[in-house]
C-alpha cells in the first residue's frame, strides 16, 4: 500500500509521528488475534463459562492487515501479536508473513504460552518473526498444571528450546510474580539467565478483568526480588534498549541472558506509554486498564477507506488517558479479562 495520508493536523505533526494529547509518541500496536486459549491460568481465564467472541465477530486477517497498513503509514512501527493464545488461531504463520512485509513495520513480535511453539517456531522464524515472549510462571511441572489447569509444562519447555534453536532473539520469559504462588522460584528463574540467553521478565500482577482477584497485596516489589537474586551473583544494570520497552534491565555477571522488571503498578510508566491495543473483535483500547473502546471493525465492515481508519486512529490518540487510576479511589477494574484484551 502507498501511504497517501489525509492527516489530522494537530496530532500528526509530521508524517509518521503519532502524538497523543500528552505528547507521547505512539508507535506500538498490540494486536490480539483471538480470545481462545489452550490454557486456563487461574488468574487470567476461568475454566468454564467464558463468553467468547463469535467467529463472525473476529477481525479477519484481511481486515487486520488492512488496518496495519493504514496505521503503519501513520507512524505505527511495532506490532505484537497476542491473545488469548495466538498460536491457536489457524493461519497465524501466514498472517505474520503478511505483516512482516508491511512497509514501515520495523519490529514484529509475538507473545505465546509456548504450548504449541515447538511445532511453530521454525515456521514463525521463516515467516519473519524475529523475537518472541513466552509466558511461564513456574518451572515445576506439577505447579504448572495447577496454575494453568493443564498438564503441558513439557511442551512449553520444548517450545522454549526450539525458539532458541531457531535463533529467535531475544527469547523472553514472562513471569507474573505473585506472593504465595511462585515467589519461591525467583532464583530458579534468574538462574536460567546464567545458562541460556533468555531474558527473564518479572511482571507485576495486574487488576484486569472482573473475575480477577487482585487486591494489591500479591505484588512483590522489584527491590525485594533483586535482593533475593543478588544471592546468585552481582546484578549489573543495562541501559534502555532501542526498542524502548518499559522493563528495568539487568544481567547477572557472567550470565548469557538478562533479567528485567516490569512494574506497571508500583512504578507505573504511563508517561512513556507508546501503545494502543486492538481486541480480537476489532475494538481499539487506549489503556489496558480502561474499558473505553473505539470501534474499528464497524468501519472496516462498512468498507471505510483509509481516511476513515485514520480518523479512528486519531480518535484513539485523543482518547488515550494520561495514566491508569490504580491506587485512586475512583479506580474500577475493567470488565474484559486479559485473555480477551491481549496481555
Ligand atoms: N496466551 C499468551 C501468553 O500466555 O503469553 C498471550 C496472552 S496472555 C493474556 C499474555 C500475558 O498476560 C501472559 O504472560 C499472562 O501471564 C499475562 N497476564 C494475564 N493476566 C494477568 C494479570 N492479571 N496480571 C499480569 N499479567 C497477566
Amino acid at each position: 500500500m502507498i501511504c497517501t495520508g489525509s492527516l489530522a493536523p494537530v496530532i500528526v505533526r509530521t508524517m509518521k509521528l503519532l502524538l497523543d494529547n500528552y505528547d507521547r509518541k505512539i508507535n506500538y500496536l498490540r494486536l490480539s488475534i483471538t480470545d481462545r486459549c489452550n490454557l486456563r491460568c487461574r488468574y487470567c481465564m476461568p475454566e468454564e463459562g467464558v463468553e467468547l467472541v463469535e467467529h463472525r465477530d473476529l477481525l479477519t486477517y484481511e481486515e487486520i492487515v488492512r488496518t496495519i497498513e493504514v496505521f503503519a503509514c501513520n507512524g505505527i512501527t511495532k506490532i505484537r501479536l497476542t491473545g488469548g493464545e495466538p498460536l491457536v488461531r489457524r493461519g497465524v504463520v501466514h498472517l505474520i508473513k503478511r505483516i512482516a512485509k508491511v512497509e514501515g513495520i520495523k519490529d514484529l513480535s509475538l507473545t505465546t504460552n509456548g504450548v504449541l511453539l515447538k511445532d511453530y517456531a521454525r515456521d514463525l522464524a521463516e515467516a519473519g518473526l524475529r523475537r518472541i515472549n513466552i509466558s511461564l510462571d513456574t518451572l515445576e511441572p506439577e505447579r504448572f498444571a495447577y496454575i494453568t489447569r493443564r498438564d503441558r509444562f513439557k511442551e512449553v519447555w520444548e517450545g522454549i528450546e526450539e525458539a532458541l534453536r531457531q535463533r529467535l532473539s531475544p527469547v523472553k520469559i514472562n513471569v507474573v510474580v505473585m506472593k504465595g504462588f511462585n515467589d519461591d522460584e525467583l532464583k530458579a528463574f534468574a538462574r536460567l539467565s546464567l545458562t541460556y540467553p533468555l531474558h527473564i521478565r518479572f511482571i507485576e500482577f495486574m487488576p484486569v478483568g472482573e473475575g480477577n482477584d487482585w487486591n494489591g497485596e500479591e505484588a512483590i516489589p522489584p527491590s525485594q526480588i533483586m535482593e533475593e537474586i543478588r544471592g546468585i551473583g552481582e546484578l549489573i544494570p543495562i541501559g534502555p534498549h532501542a526498542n524502548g520497552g518499559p522493563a528495568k534491565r539487568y544481567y547477572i555477571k557472567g550470565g548469557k541472558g538478562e533479567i528485567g522488571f516490569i512494574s506497571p503498578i508500583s512504578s507505573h510508566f504511563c508517561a512513556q506509554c507508546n501503545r494502543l491495543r486492538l481486541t480480537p473483535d476489532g475494538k481499539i483500547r487506549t489503556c489496558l486498564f480502561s474499558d473505553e473502546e473505539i470501534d474499528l471493525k464497524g468501519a472496516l465492515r462498512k468498507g471505510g477507506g483509509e481516511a476513515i481508519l485514520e480518523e479512528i486512529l486519531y480518535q484513539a490518540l485523543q482518547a488515550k488517558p494520561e495514566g491508569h487510576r490504580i491506587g485512586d479511589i475512583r479506580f474500577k477494574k475493567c470488565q474484559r479479562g486479559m485473555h480477551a484484551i491481549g496481555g
Side-chain angles (χ1 to χ4, degrees):
M1 160 173 179
I2 298 168
C3 303
T4 50
S6 59
L7 304 178
V10 181
I11 295 161
V12 180
R13 295 191 178 150
T14 61
M15 186 65 174
K16 294 191 184 283
L17 181 61
L18 285 174
L19 294 178
D20 73 0
N21 279 354
Y22 301 95
D23 260 3
R24 291 173 295 201
K25 182 179 161 195
I26 308 299
N27 62 357
Y28 185 9
L29 181 68
R30 285 208 172 194
L31 180 69
S32 175
I33 61 169
T34 180
D35 57 348
R36 272 80 174 160
C37 191
N38 45 3
L39 298 181
R40 286 288 181 279
C41 298
R42 287 172 189 273
Y43 59 88
C44 184
M45 192 171 181
E47 173 72 280
E48 280 169 0
V50 191
E51 227 175 275
L52 294 170
V53 173
E54 299 273 353
H55 276 107
R56 63 168 183 274
D57 288 325
L58 286 177
L59 285 189
T60 64
Y61 287 163
E62 268 326 304
E63 289 166 339
I64 289 174
V65 173
R66 196 163 130 56
T67 301
I68 291 177
E69 284 175 343
V70 174
F71 284 19
C73 282
N74 286 280
I76 295 293
T77 59
K78 297 175 63 168
I79 304 280
R80 172 176 299 281
L81 264 60
T82 177
E85 170 49 39
L87 298 186
V88 301
R89 183 155 172 191
R90 213 178 305 151
V92 60
V93 173
H94 177 66
L95 176 66
I96 287 183
K97 207 179 270 178
R98 291 188 63 187
I99 298 175
K101 287 188 188 139
V102 173
E103 196 175 328
I105 299 304
K106 297 185 188 128
D107 181 37
L108 175 56
S109 55
L110 176 126
T111 299
T112 173
N113 59 34
V115 170
L116 300 174
L117 189 56
K118 186 179 174 201
D119 293 334
Y120 270 93
R122 183 187 196 135
D123 291 346
L124 292 170
E126 283 174 2
L129 193 76
R130 293 285 160 263
R131 58 198 192 90
I132 196 159
N133 288 22
I134 302 161
S135 306
L136 182 63
D137 300 330
T138 175
L139 296 169
E140 295 175 11
E142 270 177 34
R143 185 178 279 179
F144 181 94
Y146 172 75
I147 294 178
T148 66
R149 301 190 180 102
R150 301 288 184 271
D151 186 9
R152 309 198 71 172
F153 177 82
K154 183 169 172 283
E155 284 113 303
V156 177
W157 188 256
E158 288 172 354
I160 293 170
E161 289 179 320
E162 189 58 26
L164 290 170
R165 249 193 305 277
Q166 294 302 328
R167 299 188 188 283
L168 289 167
S169 177
V171 175
K172 293 186 188 169
I173 306 293
N174 288 349
V175 189
V176 177
V177 180
M178 280 177 265
K179 239 177 240 169
F181 210 57
N182 58 357
D183 54 336
D184 54 343
E185 293 191 62
L186 303 175
K187 275 190 186 163
F189 272 109
R191 269 195 210 99
L192 287 180
S193 76
L194 288 175
T195 27
Y196 299 93
L198 291 171
H199 291 200
I200 310 298
R201 292 279 185 267
F202 292 114
I203 298 175
E204 254 173 14
F205 183 46
M206 297 176 252
V208 181
E210 276 187 329
N212 167 301
D213 289 333
W214 183 91
N215 64 20
E217 296 191 349
E218 308 79 359
I220 303 190
S223 55
Q224 199 178 319
I225 303 178
M226 284 168 74
E227 207 37 57
E228 197 161 333
I229 293 173
R230 275 200 192 97
I232 304 174
E234 190 186 344
L235 268 179
I236 302 168
I238 306 175
H241 190 266
N243 272 332
K248 293 207 170 88
R249 303 164 57 217
Y250 301 82
Y251 68 96
I252 301 176
K253 206 170 181 181
K256 293 185 177 160
E258 61 172 75
I259 289 169
F261 300 90
I262 302 187
S263 318
I265 319 290
S266 62
S267 64
H268 72 81
F269 37 82
C270 301
Q272 285 86 45
C273 184
N274 60 350
R275 300 171 182 181
L276 294 175
R277 290 183 152 80
L278 185 57
T279 65
D281 53 342
K283 310 277 193 279
I284 300 182
R285 283 177 79 102
T286 57
C287 171
L288 175 60
F289 302 103
S290 158
D291 273 325
E292 186 164 344
E293 297 184 344
I294 295 162
D295 182 38
L296 186 80
K297 186 184 76 192
L300 282 162
R301 298 217 168 153
K302 277 186 209 135
E306 190 186 335
I308 305 282
L309 299 185
E310 281 183 359
E311 206 178 297
I312 292 173
L313 175 61
Y314 306 142
Q315 262 180 43
L317 291 181
Q318 271 163 340
K320 191 167 168 63
E322 186 172 15
H324 66 60
R325 292 240 173 97
I326 300 169
D328 184 319
I329 195 150
R330 289 164 295 176
F331 177 72
K332 204 167 109 284
K333 265 183 219 165
C334 61
Q335 291 183 343
R336 280 197 202 236
M338 197 74 115
H339 70 278
I341 303 172

